[in-house]
Amino acid sequence: MEPSPAFLLVLDPAVGHAVVRLHPGQTCTIGRGPANSIVLHDERSSRFHAEVIPVATGWMVRDVGSRNGTIVGGEPLAGDRPLVPGDMILVGGTQLVFGEGDPPSDVSGFSDEATETSEVTSDMQKWSDAITLRRDKTRLLEDIGESAGSVPRVGKAAASLCRLAFALARASDVAEVARLALEAAMEGAAAVHGVVLLPPPGPAAEWRVPTGVASLVPAAAAPQGWPAEGGLPAGAVATVLATNEAILVGRAPRRSAAGAVGGGVVDDSRSAISAPVRVGGRPVGVLHVELASGDRQATPDDLEFVMAVCDALGIAVENLSTRERLSVRLASTADENERLRQRLREESRMVGGSPALSAIASQIARVASTKATVLVRGESGSGKELVARAIHDASDRRSAPFVCLNCAALTETLLESELFGHEKGAFTGATERKAGKFEAAHRGTLFLDEIGEMSQTIQAKFLRVLEGHSFERVGGSQRVQVDVRVVAATNRNLEDAVAANEFRRDLYFRLKVVEIIVPPLRRRREDIEPLARHFLARFAAETGRGVHDFSPAALDALLAYQWPGNIRELRNCIERAVVLSNHDTIDTPDLALSQLAPAGDTGRGTGRGTGRGTGGPAGAFVPQTIEELERRHIMATLAAVGGNKTKAAAMLGIERSTLDRKLTRWAKRL
């Protein structure tokens, strides 16, 4: 059921009485904005103030979040309110009376006594009464030519230059800025012909002073194609380029109609203006305009205006050149950064499929999304930094910096400076302020390797930063607050260091929020072959060598070796083999495995030894099991025959299959 027709009697102090019909199915909006059904002229009304809505039972009024509110029946409107005939709606000083049916023919007796929605001071009322025009958007730039017609010549020139400046700022290429400048110059000087001469398109950075008119080409002309062939004002252009000054010619010399060499010069009393287009203070082009023949002569004011246009044009082409150079550099930098990111991702990729590596990956996935401090522990070269980078890449900090610092590589003073930065003059050699690693890693991740080597003096300051406190640079007093996620790593036994009072107990517990232990490579032998093949492909591509595989004996030697240097040693071993190999397949002699025993494995062989123990003094007895002696003897035999299992089995007096079973069992156990 639709409501019956109704109306609103409007008493606006600014415009007087009015009647607005309300139609079923149409909402009547009220406010100061020009799009409303009822437009108010009171400062206290909002742009969209209230609305009268048709409902099944009649009409209701609603305030739409106005600044000063709406009053109905003498009470502030809090929600939707049904309207009955005679209800008065007050919006500021404007009154609206609701009625049903046809509106009265005479509204002269409509009362204008009402309570306003807010109090207005006398000063506000004076300002409101003084307003004669109101707009929500400036039209100055759109109508600047028309509005400048009523101001003096200087004002017109300023208005035209203002419009030109905005147009040049929006232009996207040299041809467009040249056209805009030429149009402005011709309009300001009342010229009928004009041309902008600039160097031909080329590298944006190469704006050089032209040697003459022959080194310039028209960037814009009016009318299109002017001047005709042979009609270019070479003398004027040469004069401007030579003197870097604008010139005004009262009677411009013109070629004859023939335009041929030896053609006569005619005097058509046409005045002209030529001005330099400067970049960096040097003339790189010329803007030339000519007035109509027999018309008024160009004035010094015209010359000043054309020069101002040329200066604006010079700045515009210089800005476009800078923008082009930056665009090229940014594109080049972005491409280079992407290549570096891909290379870094490839170098830092965790390769392998052992259960130990899968467990580490699972830990990384769980801890990456948190802000918890992580302590990564493992032998040197086992891949602790790869774990730290994987945590960073999987976190929401991946777009921020990942900063690394080896705490064992610096003295105490230098380490403090590297971590927290220093002020100029803080110590000898501090010639300028330097931001520390904490500041460099703001909103990112800071990886501190060999954290166990940090002195106790720095440990105390480091602990405060971990607790969320600000810090001061070395030699400074200004507090610095950063948001950094710390991942620490060590190959030391921190528990022993704490017991020996070499490492702070409170820092130990603060670091060990989440602990990830990276096993040595000899404890995850399933990863040896994938890692070896990964490094082989990488170094073969980098060096251009045609090495593409390992011999079976070389693979057996890699699997049986203890790898005391872990992944770092494996990487260097493969790189050396690729560089020195004379064949397309790496064999056992190419590997050059070391005689060192793994850290902590006293008395255990390396898989390439001569049968003598390496864990104690020469000739000292080292207790070993028979199985260990057998393993070392078999590995020494294999090494002696270059990894040939058939020869080794014959020398040992066992079957080849028995040798294979023993090697497989030892590989799994180790």
Side-chain angles (χ1 to χ4, degrees):
M1 176 180 178
E2 292 186 347
S4 60
F7 62 88
L8 289 173
L9 296 177
V10 183
L11 175 58
D12 191 332
V15 298
H17 297 76
V19 177
V20 178
R21 292 181 180 272
L22 302 176
H23 301 283
Q26 296 182 9
T27 297
C28 176
T29 59
I30 305 167
R32 194 160 40 85
N36 289 290
S37 306
I38 300 176
V39 179
L40 306 182
H41 302 82
D42 193 299
E43 282 289 317
R44 290 153 291 178
S45 60
S46 298
R47 215 173 143 70
F48 296 100
H49 198 104
E51 54 187 15
V52 177
I53 307 169
V55 294
T57 57
W59 297 85
M60 68 178 185
V61 62
R62 172 189 300 161
D63 187 279
V64 290
S66 65
R67 183 177 66 252
N68 293 318
T70 306
I71 292 177
V72 180
E75 297 179 357
L77 186 63
D80 295 345
R81 170 168 172 165
L83 291 172
V84 298
D87 276 349
M88 180 178 290
I89 305 170
L90 296 179
V91 178
T94 305
Q95 306 170 41
L96 304 95
V97 179
F98 175 78
E100 291 184 344
D102 294 327
S105 58
D106 183 11
V107 295
S108 59
F110 180 74
S111 173
D112 58 359
E113 296 180 359
T115 303
E116 298 179 353
T117 57
S118 62
E119 184 178 355
V120 181
T121 65
S122 59
D123 285 345
M124 290 178 62
Q125 189 63 48
K126 290 178 181 178
W127 279 104
S128 180
D129 294 341
I131 295 174
T132 59
L133 182 64
R134 185 194 307 278
R135 287 201 180 99
D136 61 344
K137 182 180 179 182
T138 178
R139 301 178 186 175
L140 177 62
L141 296 179
E142 289 81 356
D143 302 336
I144 196 166
E146 178 182 347
S147 61
S150 60
V151 298
R153 180 171 178 79
V154 174
K156 291 181 181 180
S160 181
L161 290 174
C162 178
R163 178 179 57 186
L164 174 63
F166 278 90
L168 292 178
R170 292 190 294 265
S172 58
D173 55 51
V174 173
E176 185 177 1
V177 298
R179 177 184 61 79
L180 292 170
L182 181 60
E183 291 175 354
M186 293 180 64
E187 180 182 358
V192 294
H193 298 100
V195 65
V196 176
L197 302 172
L198 292 173
E206 297 181 2
W207 285 106
R208 297 187 176 91
V209 177
T211 57
V213 67
S215 59
L216 299 176
V217 297
Q224 188 68 30
W226 186 89
E229 184 177 357
L232 196 65
V237 173
T239 301
V240 170
L241 293 177
T243 63
N244 194 18
E245 294 177 342
I247 59 174
L248 185 153
V249 181
R251 293 175 175 270
R254 308 292 297 169
R255 289 183 179 273
S256 64
V261 177
V265 175
V266 299
D267 181 11
D268 59 3
S269 301
R270 177 175 297 181
S271 61
I273 296 174
S274 298
V277 179
R278 303 183 180 98
V279 171
R282 301 175 303 166
V284 299
V286 176
L287 189 153
H288 177 84
V289 295
E290 296 182 0
L291 279 65
S293 177
D295 204 346
R296 73 174 183 87
Q297 297 295 305
T299 66
D301 287 342
D302 295 328
L303 181 65
E304 292 287 342
F305 180 78
V306 173
M307 290 180 66
V309 170
C310 286
D311 288 343
L313 174 58
I315 293 174
V317 297
E318 186 175 12
N319 289 342
L320 285 174
S321 301
T322 302
R323 187 188 310 172
E324 183 179 345
R325 289 197 302 271
L326 289 176
S327 178
V328 172
R329 290 178 183 176
L330 286 174
S332 176
T333 302
D335 183 62
E336 183 180 0
N337 286 344
E338 184 58 31
R339 292 198 305 269
L340 290 175
R341 286 193 187 98
Q342 292 179 356
R343 181 174 178 180
L344 184 60
R345 283 194 293 266
E346 181 64 22
E347 290 184 358
S348 61
R349 182 165 59 92
M350 298 177 66
V351 178
S354 65
L357 194 62
S358 300
I360 292 173
S362 177
Q363 285 181 285
I364 291 172
R366 291 196 300 272
V367 76
S369 59
T370 70
K371 296 182 180 181
T373 304
V374 179
L375 178 62
V376 185
R377 304 178 72 165
E379 292 183 7
S380 179
S382 58
K384 298 187 292 297
E385 184 175 342
L386 297 185
V387 173
R389 183 171 290 279
I391 293 173
H392 173 77
D393 291 341
S395 71
D396 55 1
R397 299 171 179 261
R398 67 179 67 88
S399 59
F402 177 80
V403 180
C404 301
L405 179 64
N406 190 326
C407 299
L410 301 169
T411 64
E412 179 179 327
T413 303
L414 290 178
L415 179 58
E416 184 178 10
S417 172
E418 284 294 317
L419 279 175
F420 307 112
H422 62 253
E423 298 288 346
K424 180 179 179 180
F427 50 83
T428 303
T431 57
E432 58 184 11
R433 172 187 285 185
K434 176 184 176 182
K437 300 299 185 184
F438 269 106
E439 291 180 76
H442 183 53
R443 301 190 185 281
T445 303
L446 175 60
F447 174 60
L448 297 177
D449 199 7
E450 305 296 348
I451 190 70
E453 307 301 325
M454 183 182 291
S455 69
Q456 291 204 14
T457 303
I458 303 179
Q459 288 177 27
K461 192 172 182 179
F462 176 55
L463 177 60
R464 283 187 56 81
V465 180
L466 281 183
E467 295 290 352
H469 297 284
S470 57
F471 61 90
E472 298 173 357
R473 301 185 188 94
V474 178
S477 58
Q478 182 181 355
R479 309 296 294 179
V480 180
Q481 186 72 47
V482 293
D483 174 20
V484 174
R485 201 258 184 88
V486 173
V487 178
T490 183
N491 60 2
R492 287 188 60 186
N493 189 320
L494 291 184
E495 290 78 8
D496 291 346
V498 170
N501 291 324
E502 296 175 354
F503 199 82
R504 291 179 62 100
R505 181 180 298 270
D506 48 4
L507 178 58
Y508 168 76
F509 289 114
R510 183 62 183 84
L511 286 174
K512 197 177 177 181
V513 177
V514 176
E515 185 179 51
I516 297 179
I517 298 178
V518 183
L521 187 57
R522 62 184 176 277
R523 303 299 182 198
R524 45 189 179 103
R525 293 189 175 274
E526 298 91 337
D527 297 334
I528 294 178
E529 184 174 347
L531 281 168
R533 295 192 179 279
H534 168 75
F535 291 133
L536 173 64
R538 173 181 165 186
F539 293 123
E542 288 183 2
T543 60
R545 304 296 300 275
V547 184
H548 57 79
D549 203 356
F550 297 95
S551 69
L555 279 178
D556 290 340
L558 292 175
L559 293 173
Y561 185 59
Q562 296 293 303
W563 298 111
N566 292 293
I567 298 176
R568 183 182 293 117
E569 183 186 6
L570 175 61
R571 175 187 181 280
N572 296 336
C573 175
I574 301 303
E575 182 178 13
R576 180 175 57 249
V578 170
V579 171
L580 299 179
S581 178
N582 294 321
H583 309 285
D584 60 356
T585 301
I586 293 177
D587 206 352
T588 306
D590 300 322
L591 298 177
L593 301 176
S594 74
Q595 300 283 339
L596 295 176
D601 287 359
T602 302
R604 300 190 61 176
T606 65
R608 294 187 74 254
T610 60
R612 298 188 301 269
T614 61
F621 172 73
V622 179
Q624 298 182 55
T625 64
I626 294 177
E627 184 179 11
E628 175 62 18
L629 289 173
E630 179 188 31
R631 187 191 68 80
R632 292 185 57 221
H633 179 66
I634 289 177
M635 297 308 300
T637 304
L638 270 173
V641 297
N644 189 314
K645 293 183 180 180
T646 302
K647 290 184 179 179
M651 293 179 64
L652 293 168
I654 59 176
E655 297 291 335
R656 166 68 185 268
S657 59
T658 302
L659 177 61
D660 287 336
R661 285 196 302 272
K662 290 180 180 292
L663 292 174
T664 302
R665 184 174 72 251
W666 292 333
K668 289 182 178 180
R669 183 176 302 174
L670 294 175

